[in-house]
C-alpha cells in the first residue's frame, strides 16, 4: 500500500463584526503595517454549534468542522472568509497523505482554552478495521490561536505506537489552502520571484503541454498572460529557502496578505537543498513536509509491519496582514519577511502543548569546526570549510541524509573559517554529515552523536578529505551539486513565463528547455574539447534524448576530447563523475572506443527525480569514482564517450554536476 500525507485546510467563516474592523483600522498609523495589540481582545472559543467551532482573538477568526478538523473558514480584516467558498468544506483547508487522501479527525478535544490561547486537537486513531482504506498511523492535527497574533499555528503528530500496525509507504504530507480566487491575484515567493498571476480559469481554457501541470495560456481573462506558460513546478523552492510565501489581494479596498511561514526545516524530508512546491495558481498555498518531488521513490517514507514511529510536523504559522489604501500593497511582502524573522527568533516555540513536541529547554546543541584537506589543492594544506553544509540526520551512510524522510534533520552552514553551531536539536541518536561547495563527495563523522535535553556537544576539529586518487588533468563544471553553471538555453518565445525573463539566474525554470537540445544538435551530439570550449557556453545543462518526431526519441552520446601531451602513466586513472540529477536514465562511459560492449562503465538504470521536466536544475546527487586502466588512453588525442542509453520520452536523462579526470596516484607529469 502506498499513501501520501497532505493536509488541506480551507477556512470559511462569518464576517467579522464592525467593532473588530474598527479596531484593526485604528491600529494602522502613518500608513504603516502594524500588528494589533495583544492586550485588547481575549481569545474566545465558541462551541455552540455541534458541527463546527470558532476560535477568535479579535484579529483573526478560524472556523473548523467537528470532529474532522477541516479549516472551513478564516475571517480577517472585514473579509468574511479568505478561503474559496465554492470548494467543498473539506477542500478549502486540508491535511493530506497521498495526493487525494485527506486526514480527518474522529475525536475532537480542547487541549487548552483561556483568554491568552486556545489549542485544539483533532485526532484520527487508526484501527484494524481501517486497513486498506486509511494510512496505518495515528494522526493528531493541532491548531493554536493566541492573543494578539495576526494568524494561527498548526501542527501534526504522527504516531505508530506498537507492532500491530501494518506496513505502508507514505509519499507526501502537506497542508494546503485554497484562497478566494476572485480576490487573491498576486503571488510572492521571494524578493525576486513575485508577480500578478493568471487564474485557474485561464488554465482551464488553455492548452495542456507535455504534462497536465504545464499549460499554455491561450484565452486568459487578462491579455497580458496570453502566450505564457504556467506550471506549478516553476514556483518550486529548496527547503532552506522555503520559509515564507503566499498571496496578496490587490482589491481597491484595503490590501490583504495570506502567508505560510515555516520557521524551521527540521521536520521536512531530504535535507536543506531538496526542492518542493510552494504557492501556485488556484490560488493555492502549501506547506510541504514530506514529498518525493525532485527525488523520486528513493525518498519514500516506508514502514514495515510492526515499525514504530513518532514525529511532530510543524508548527507552521498562517499569517495574515493588511495595509491601508494609500500603502503600497507590496509592503505586505516586506511585512511578511519581518514576521518570518520574528518566528525564527522564537523557534522552537514554547507554547505548543503536545507532550511529543520538544520545547527549547529539552533540546541540545552541537558545536564544531570543519576543515578540508585535499592533497592536490594548495599543497595539501588544511583549508577552511567555508559555507559547508553541516547537519544531523538519522544514522546511515555518508550522504544518506538526502534520501532520509522519517526522522528530524538539523542543518546549518559553517562560517568563513569552518565553525558551525547546530542548535535546537531534538534528543536522539544522529550522524553528523557535511558537504562542502567546491569539493566533491560527502563527509560523515565516524561516531554516533547522542543528543540529550539541554546537552551541549563540542566536537574536536573535524577534517574532511574529499575523494581524490591523483592530480587533476582537467575538470568540467563546479562541484556544487547543481547544473546551474552550465549552458541554459533561452526558452521558446512562444513558451515563456515572464517572471523569469529578467531573472537570468532562474532561467532554468522556463518551460521546454529540454527540447532546445534537439534544435541545437539535430543530427550530431555535443562535442566538448577541453581547453577550447567553455562549460558555461558549450555544455548543455541536461543530457537528454533527441526528439526524432512522431513521439519517438533516440539516445544521445556526448564526447569529451582532450590531449594527453605526456607519456601514458601505468596504473589507473580516475574519472570523477558527479551527477546533479537522473531521471529514468542509464549512463554509459567509454574510453576511446564508442562501440565497445559492454561499456567500460555503466550506472545501470538510475533516477526518478523528474528535475528535467520540473525545472529543477538538480535532484538527488550521485558521485561515481571510475577507475580507468591506463591502456584505455593514448598519448595525444583521447575521447571519452558519455551515452545516455534510455530513450522512451523527452524527460529521460541526467544533469552533470562536475567531471574531473585524475592521473594515477603518486604521479606529477
Amino acid at each position: 500500500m502506498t499513501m501520501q500525507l497532505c493536509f488541506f485546510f480551507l477556512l470559511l467563516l462569518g464576517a467579522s463584526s464592525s467593532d473588530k474592523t474598527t479596531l484593526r483600522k485604528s491600529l494602522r498609523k502613518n500608513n504603516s503595517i502594524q500588528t494589533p495589540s495583544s492586550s485588547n481582545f481575549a481569545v474566545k472559543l465558541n462551541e455552540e454549534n455541534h458541527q463546527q467551532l470558532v476560535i477568535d482573538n479579535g484579529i483573526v477568526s478560524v472556523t473548523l468542522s467537528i470532529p474532522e478538523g477541516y479549516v472551513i473558514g478564516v475571517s480577517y480584516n472585514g473579509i468574511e472568509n479568505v478561503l474559496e467558498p465554492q470548494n467543498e468544506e473539506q477542500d478549502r483547508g486540508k491535511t493530506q497523505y497521498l495526493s487525494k487522501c485527506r486526514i480527518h479527525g474522529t475525536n475532537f478535544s480542547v487541549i487548552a482554552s483561556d483568554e491568552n490561547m486556545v489549542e485544539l486537537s483533532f485526532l484520527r486513531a487508526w484501527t484494524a478495521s481501517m486497513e486498506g482504506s486509511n494510512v496505518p498511523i495515528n494522526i493528531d492535527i493541532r491548531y493554536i490561536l493566541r492573543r494578539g497574533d495576526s494568524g494561527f499555528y498548526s501542527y501534526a503528530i504522527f504516531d505508530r505506537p506498537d507492532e500491530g500496525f501494518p506496513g505502508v509507504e507514505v509519499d507526501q504530507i502537506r497542508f494546503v489552502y485554497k484562497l478566494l480566487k476572485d480576490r487573491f491575484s498576486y503571488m510572492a515567493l521571494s524578493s525576486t520571484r513575485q508577480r500578478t498571476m493568471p487564474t485557474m480559469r485561464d488554465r482551464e481554457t488553455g492548452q495542456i503541454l507535455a504534462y497536465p501541470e504545464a499549460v499554455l495560456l491561450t484565452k486568459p481573462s487578462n491579455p497580458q498572460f496570453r502566450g505564457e506558460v504556467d506550471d506549478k513546478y516553476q514556483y518550486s523552492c529548496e527547503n532552506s529557502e522555503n520559509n515564507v510565501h503566499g498571496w496578496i489581494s490587490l482589491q481597491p479596498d484595503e490590501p490583504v496578505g495570506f502567508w505560510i511561514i515555516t520557521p524551521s526545516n527540521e521536520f521536512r524530508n531530504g535535507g536543506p537543498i531538496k526542492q518542493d512546491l510552494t504557492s501556485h495558481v488556484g490560488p493555492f498555498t502549501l506547506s510541504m513536509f514530506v514529498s518525493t518531488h525532485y527525488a523520486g521513490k528513493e525518498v519514500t517514507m516506508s514502514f514495515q509491519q510492526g515499525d514504530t514511529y513518532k514525529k511532530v510536523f510543524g508548527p507552521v504559522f498562517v499569517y495574515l496582514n493588511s495595509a491601508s489604501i494609500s500603502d503600497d500593497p507590496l509592503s505586505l511582502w516586506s511585512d511578511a519577511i519581518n514576521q518570518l524573522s520574528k518566528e525564527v527568533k522564537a523557534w522552537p516555540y514554547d507554547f505548543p502543548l503536545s507532550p511529543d513536541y520538544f520545547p527549547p529547554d529539552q533540546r541540545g546543541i552541537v558545536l564544531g569546526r570543519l576543515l578540508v584537506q585535499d592533497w592536490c589543492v594548495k599543497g595539501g594544506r588544511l583549508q577552511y570549510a567555508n559555507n559547508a553544509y553541516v547537519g544531523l540526520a538519522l544514522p546511515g551512510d555518508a550522504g544518506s541524509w538526502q534520501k532520509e524522510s522519517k526522522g528530524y534533520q538539523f542543518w546549518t552552514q559553517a562560517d568563513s573559517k569552518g565553525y558551525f553551531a547546530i542548535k535546537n536539536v531534538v534528543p536522539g541518536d544522529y550522524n553528523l554529515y557535511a558537504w562542502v561547495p567546491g569539493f566533491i563527495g560527502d563527509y560523515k563523522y565516524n561516531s554516533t552523536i547522542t543528543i540529550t535535553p539541554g546537552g551541549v556537544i563540542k566536537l574536536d576539529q573535524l577534517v574532511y578529505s574529499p575523494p581524490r586518487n591523483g592530480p587533476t588533468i582537467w575538470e568540467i563544471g563546479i562541484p556544487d551539486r547543481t547544473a546551474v553553471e552550465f549552458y541554459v538555453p533561452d526558452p521558446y518565445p512562444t513558451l515563456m513565463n515572464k517572471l523569469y525573463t529578467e531573472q537570468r539566474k532562474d532561467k532554468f525554470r522556463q518551460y521546454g528547455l529540454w527540447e532546445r537540445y534537439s534544435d541545437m544538435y539535430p543530427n550530431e551530439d555535443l562535442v566538448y574539447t577541453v581547453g577550447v570550449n567553455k562549460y558555461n557556453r558549450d555544455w548543455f545543462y541536461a543530457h537528454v534524448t533527441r526528439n526524432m518526431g512522431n513521439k519517438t526519441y533516440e539516445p544521445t552520446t556526448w564526447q569529451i576530447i582532450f590531449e594527453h601531451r605526456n607519456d601514458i602513466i601505468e596504473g589507473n586513472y580516475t574519472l570523477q563523475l558527479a551527477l546533479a540529477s537522473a531521471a529514468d536514465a542509464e549512463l554509459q562511459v567509454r574510453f576511446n572506443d564508442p562501440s565497445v560492449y559492454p561499456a567500460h562503465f555503466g550506472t545501470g538504470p538510475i533516477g526518478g527525480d523528474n528535475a528535467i521536466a520540473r525545472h529543477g536544475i538538480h535532484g538527488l546527487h550521485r558521485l561515481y569514482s571510475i577507475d580507468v586502466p591506463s591502456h584505455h588512453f593514448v598519448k595525444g588525442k583521447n575521447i571519452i564517450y558519455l551515452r545516455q542509453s534510455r530513450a522512451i520520452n523527452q524527460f529521460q536523462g541526467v544533469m552533470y554536476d562536475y567531471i574531473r579526470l585524475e592521473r594515477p596516484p603518486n604521479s606529477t607529469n
Side-chain angles (χ1 to χ4, degrees), residues 80-194:
E80 181 176 349
N81 188 17
V82 300
L83 302 180
E84 181 52 60
Q86 294 186 15
N87 277 41
E88 296 293 331
E89 286 189 354
Q90 67 270 24
D91 284 331
R92 297 171 187 162
K94 48 191 173 183
T95 303
Q96 290 180 310
Y97 61 85
L98 290 177
S99 303
K100 301 298 181 183
C101 300
R102 300 178 187 88
I103 295 174
H104 53 273
T106 55
N107 297 289
F108 160 69
S109 61
V110 178
I111 304 300
S113 179
D114 60 29
E115 62 182 11
N116 293 313
M117 187 181 86
V118 169
E119 178 166 348
L120 307 174
S121 167
F122 298 86
L123 174 65
R124 201 289 326 260
W126 186 85
T127 64
S129 63
M130 299 177 180
E131 187 165 357
S133 61
N134 281 274
V135 63
I137 300 175
N138 295 336
I139 302 170
D140 186 3
I141 308 301
R142 300 285 186 100
Y143 299 92
I144 298 173
L145 183 64
R146 301 192 307 164
R147 189 171 191 154
D149 282 347
S150 188
F152 61 95
Y153 297 86
S154 56
Y155 66 110
I157 303 105
F158 283 59
D159 184 21
R160 286 170 56 94
D162 58 55
E163 297 180 356
F165 281 50
V168 68
E169 291 184 355
V170 178
D171 289 345
Q172 192 167 175
I173 305 174
R174 64 186 185 180
F175 293 156
V176 183
Y177 296 89
K178 174 67 184 299
L179 306 182
L180 284 169
K181 65 177 182 293
D182 295 330
R183 186 168 189 117
F184 290 90
S185 59
Y186 191 93
M187 187 179 76
L189 314 178
S190 73
S191 59
T192 58
R193 299 174 67 194
Q194 51 180 263

Side-chain angles (χ1 to χ4, degrees), residues 263-331:
S264 172
N265 287 304
E266 66 187 46
F267 36 76
R268 286 174 166 156
N269 73 319
I273 61 172
K274 184 187 180 296
Q275 299 165 97
D276 225 320
L277 303 178
T278 56
S279 292
H280 59 84
V281 167
F284 287 106
T285 188
L286 302 86
S287 179
M288 302 296 299
F289 297 143
V290 171
S291 86
T292 57
H293 295 141
Y294 302 96
K297 288 292 185 179
E298 292 179 79
V299 301
T300 297
M301 204 173 163
S302 181
F303 297 98
Q304 301 300 315
Q305 171 78 32
D307 284 352
T308 59
Y309 178 75
K310 184 175 288 186
K311 185 176 179 181
V312 176
F313 296 91
V316 297
F317 187 42
V318 172
Y319 177 62
L320 296 100
N321 57 3
S322 57
S324 68
I325 297 175
S326 58
D327 286 337
D328 180 356
L330 301 189
S331 62

Side-chain angles (χ1 to χ4, degrees), residues 183-488:
R183 186 168 189 117
F184 290 90
S185 59
Y186 191 93
M187 187 179 76
L189 314 178
S190 73
S191 59
T192 58
R193 299 174 67 194
Q194 51 180 263
R195 65 174 297 194
T196 300
M197 295 292 288
T199 66
M200 183 61 76
R201 178 61 178 168
D202 294 339
R203 285 181 53 87
E204 292 168 350
T205 59
Q207 174 189 342
I208 295 177
L209 298 173
Y211 45 88
E213 294 87 348
V215 172
L216 178 65
L217 305 177
T218 57
K219 301 176 182 178
S221 55
N222 187 334
Q224 71 169 307
F225 299 123
R226 183 174 292 114
E228 284 202 52
V229 171
D230 179 76
D231 179 354
K232 69 179 182 180
Y233 295 111
Q234 292 179 317
Y235 313 119
S236 295
C237 184
E238 292 185 346
N239 282 345
S240 60
E241 303 294 330
N242 189 355
N243 42 38
V244 58
H245 60 88
W247 292 81
I248 296 174
S249 167
L250 297 178
Q251 298 287 337
D253 56 353
E254 295 177 347
V256 169
F258 185 100
W259 312 98
I260 297 285
I261 294 180
T262 307
S264 172
N265 287 304
E266 66 187 46
F267 36 76
R268 286 174 166 156
N269 73 319
I273 61 172
K274 184 187 180 296
Q275 299 165 97
D276 225 320
L277 303 178
T278 56
S279 292
H280 59 84
V281 167
F284 287 106
T285 188
L286 302 86
S287 179
M288 302 296 299
F289 297 143
V290 171
S291 86
T292 57
H293 295 141
Y294 302 96
K297 288 292 185 179
E298 292 179 79
V299 301
T300 297
M301 204 173 163
S302 181
F303 297 98
Q304 301 300 315
Q305 171 78 32
D307 284 352
T308 59
Y309 178 75
K310 184 175 288 186
K311 185 176 179 181
V312 176
F313 296 91
V316 297
F317 187 42
V318 172
Y319 177 62
L320 296 100
N321 57 3
S322 57
S324 68
I325 297 175
S326 58
D327 286 337
D328 180 356
L330 301 189
S331 62
L332 295 174
W333 166 253
S334 299
D335 179 65
I337 292 295
N338 290 335
Q339 187 63 39
L340 168 65
S341 178
K342 295 176 183 178
E343 300 298 324
V344 170
K345 289 179 181 178
W347 184 268
Y349 301 133
D350 59 5
F351 52 83
L353 296 177
S354 169
D356 299 312
Y357 175 79
F358 292 87
D361 61 357
Q362 293 185 26
R363 296 176 176 232
I365 185 171
V366 176
L367 306 172
R369 189 187 196 188
L370 182 65
L371 304 176
V372 182
Q373 186 174 38
D374 184 332
W375 62 271
C376 281
V377 177
K378 296 186 177 181
R381 296 192 303 273
L382 291 173
Q383 303 174 66
Y384 303 136
N386 182 21
N387 284 327
Y389 287 81
V390 187
L392 298 172
L394 287 185
D397 297 330
S400 61
W401 53 267
Q402 68 172 341
K403 300 179 183 179
E404 211 291 296
S405 294
K406 288 184 179 179
Y408 297 97
Q409 294 201 31
F410 301 88
W411 287 86
T412 189
Q413 279 191 270
D415 67 15
S416 60
K417 293 189 176 181
Y419 289 102
F420 63 87
I422 307 174
K423 302 177 181 179
N424 301 317
V425 184
V426 167
D429 292 336
Y430 301 90
N431 280 154
L432 185 139
Y433 304 98
W435 65 274
V436 187
F439 296 88
I440 62 173
D442 279 278
Y443 172 82
K444 174 189 170 183
Y445 183 58
N446 58 10
S447 298
T448 299
I449 293 177
T450 299
I451 302 296
T452 58
V456 178
I457 295 177
K458 297 181 180 180
L459 299 175
D460 294 332
Q461 183 169 282
L462 311 177
V463 178
Y464 172 49
S465 298
R468 167 75 70 175
N469 289 328
T472 299
I473 298 177
W474 50 258
E475 59 186 351
I476 299 172
I478 301 170
D480 60 1
R481 301 190 174 229
T482 81
V484 73
E485 70 270 26
F486 297 123
Y487 176 71
V488 178

